[in-house]
Amino acid sequence: MGARAWSRLFGGILAALLCALLGFLAALRWTARSPAPASELERLQADNQALQRQIQRLRSEAVARTSPPVAAASEPPAARATPQLPPGALEAIRSAATLQDKLGAATAALEQLQLRKAELEARLEALSEENRSLAEREQATREALEGTRRLVEALQTEVRTKQDRLGSLESSHRALLRQKEDAERRLERSARILAELEELNRRRDAHLTLLLRRYRELTEQYRNLAARLESPGEGAVSGGGELSRIQNLVSLAEEDLRQLQGLNAQAQALYKQLR
């Protein structure tokens, strides 16, 4: 095989491996930037396995093509000819060795990416568990909020009921205040009327006392007049004066009686006001 053919062969193998490796590294970098779902991780794992198989196949082909052909077993060692390498074979071997080193580095990077993938899967599992915990906490919070809402509604209903009762009690209180004010006004008027009645009774008692005294004086004057009339001589001398005193006492008694009647009328009017 010529040098140009060897160069083309190893160049094609190297280009294929580098393209596959770059595509896989780009996919794994995207996976490292954002947590992929479970289906995407499985797909990347399948691509990884396929790439490993392709790398192994290309590595086997490179080793087979760079190894010199094995001589026939029946040919004696002395008759073997020294293999003649084409002009570009050494460079192709070096390129294959470099490619193997790059494959080793790519394999190590692939292992690191697999570790990163495992970390991402663990992180995804942790995030899923945290999501489930948050969902449970959210459900518990919703239940607590629902219980709080029912409690607030019950308290609002109770407050409205108490406000209605309070309004009724306030109306009753205002009515009682009006009744109290009316009662106080009536009591004040009654106290004033009673004071006037007491004054009228005092004056009536005074006039009654005067009437009784004048009645006794009239009775005494009539007795004296009767006694003098029984003695004709004495009766003629003082009868005129006694009659004048009797008439004066009668006039005073009549005046006291009129005053007493007026006081009685005032008392009757005051009694009517008390009703």
Side-chain angles (χ1 to χ4, degrees):
M1 183 181 292
R4 185 173 299 177
W6 282 98
S7 298
R8 284 200 301 269
L9 174 62
F10 285 103
I13 293 172
L14 181 61
L17 289 176
L18 287 177
C19 289
L21 182 61
L22 288 175
F24 185 71
L25 289 175
L28 285 179
R29 286 194 189 96
W30 179 82
T31 303
R33 283 196 300 268
S34 60
S39 60
E40 186 67 21
L41 291 175
E42 291 177 358
R43 187 182 64 79
L44 291 176
Q45 188 174 5
D47 294 341
N48 181 20
Q49 293 176 358
L51 181 60
Q52 286 181 353
R53 288 194 297 270
Q54 185 178 3
I55 291 172
Q56 185 65 31
R57 181 175 57 81
L58 293 175
R59 183 184 297 174
S60 299
E61 291 180 358
V63 171
R65 292 185 180 183
T66 53
S67 299
V70 181
S74 60
E75 185 178 357
R80 291 180 184 175
T82 303
Q84 297 296 326
L85 295 176
L90 185 60
E91 185 65 26
I93 291 172
R94 290 196 185 98
S95 299
T98 303
L99 179 60
Q100 287 182 354
D101 294 338
K102 290 182 179 180
L103 286 175
T107 303
L110 181 62
E111 291 177 355
Q112 292 294 327
L113 291 174
Q114 287 178 347
L115 292 176
R116 178 61 177 167
K117 174 188 170 185
E119 292 177 358
L120 292 175
E121 289 177 349
R123 182 180 176 186
L124 179 62
E125 182 64 25
L127 289 175
S128 300
E129 183 64 26
E130 184 178 359
N131 189 21
R132 287 191 295 270
S133 177
L134 289 175
E136 293 176 357
R137 291 173 60 185
E138 181 182 2
Q139 183 64 26
T141 304
R142 288 181 179 177
E143 293 176 357
L145 288 175
E146 182 65 22
T148 304
R149 185 185 63 81
R150 290 194 296 268
L151 178 60
V152 169
E153 289 179 353
L155 290 176
Q156 287 177 348
T157 302
E158 185 177 358
V159 167
R160 285 193 296 268
T161 303
K162 289 185 177 180
Q163 285 178 348
D164 294 338
R165 292 179 59 188
L166 181 61
S168 177
L169 290 175
E170 287 179 350
S171 299
S172 300
H173 179 65
R174 286 192 295 269
L176 289 175
L177 284 178
R178 289 193 296 269
Q179 293 178 3
K180 177 178 174 291
E181 292 173 356
D182 293 340
E184 288 178 350
R185 286 193 296 269
R186 287 196 299 269
L187 286 175
E188 184 179 357
R189 186 182 62 181
S190 298
R192 178 177 53 80
I193 292 173
L194 288 175
E196 293 179 359
L197 284 173
E198 288 178 356
E199 178 63 21
L200 289 175
N201 288 331
R202 186 185 63 78
R203 292 170 61 187
R204 288 165 65 187
D205 289 339
H207 286 291
L208 285 173
T209 302
L210 287 174
L211 282 173
L212 289 174
R213 189 176 64 185
R214 298 188 196 285
Y215 174 74
R216 286 194 295 269
E217 289 180 355
L218 284 172
T219 303
E220 185 66 27
Q221 291 295 329
Y222 281 123
R223 287 176 182 174
N224 292 332
L225 181 59
R228 286 191 178 88
L229 289 175
E230 290 177 357
S231 301
E234 295 178 0
V237 175
S238 58
E242 292 177 354
L243 287 174
S244 298
R245 285 195 296 271
I246 291 172
Q247 289 176 354
N248 187 26
L249 289 172
V250 170
S251 298
L252 292 174
E254 289 177 351
E255 180 63 26
D256 290 334
L257 185 59
R258 283 194 298 270
Q259 292 291 334
L260 185 59
Q261 289 176 349
L263 293 174
N264 288 334
Q266 293 179 13
Q268 290 295 327
L270 291 175
Y271 280 121
K272 289 180 181 180
Q273 293 179 9
L274 287 176
R275 296 176 183 176

